[in-house]
Amino acid sequence: MRYDPRPVLAKVKCPVLAVGGSKDLQVAPDSNLAGIKLALHGNPDVTVIKLPGLNHLLQTADTGQVVEYSRIEETVAPIALQTLGDWIVNHTQYR
């Protein structure tokens, strides 16, 4: 809770993908993703995405509450996997 990642993030020069779920109740997605983007402002290749309907574990969720985690059979939502895969492909193709 006391650790401030901003000084380290400001030094990151490689491409970054930051993903959060809109129903994440453990980490407020809007402020967290905005903070990441701000901390990485000097990095020209930062992608920040809030995925609708996903919880902290990137599962499709009804409420986002922690008690719901064990009831969700999905390990990771297909949209999260697709988003990650697309980003990787776009950042590893020969240009």
Side-chain angles (χ1 to χ4, degrees):
M1 294 297 242
R2 294 182 199 157
Y3 176 71
D4 181 2
R6 291 176 293 184
V8 174
L9 287 174
K11 296 177 185 178
V12 174
K13 303 301 178 204
C14 66
V16 174
L17 171 63
V19 178
S22 68
K23 291 187 178 180
D24 187 342
L25 299 180
Q26 290 183 262
V27 179
D30 292 329
S31 60
N32 185 55
L33 293 172
I36 291 169
K37 188 173 184 174
L38 182 62
L40 291 163
H41 73 276
N43 185 328
D45 193 353
V46 174
T47 305
V48 176
I49 301 173
K50 181 172 70 170
L51 296 171
L54 303 189
N55 64 17
H56 185 72
L57 304 180
L58 300 179
Q59 299 168 315
T60 305
D62 291 326
T63 66
Q65 294 181 11
V66 174
V67 297
E68 189 178 45
Y69 291 177
S70 64
R71 293 186 286 226
I72 299 172
E73 291 188 29
E74 177 179 79
T75 304
V76 177
I79 188 64
L81 296 173
Q82 184 70 51
T83 299
L84 295 169
D86 289 348
W87 186 88
I88 291 168
V89 166
N90 288 331
H91 281 80
T92 57
Q93 292 179 349
Y94 291 100
R95 296 172 195 228

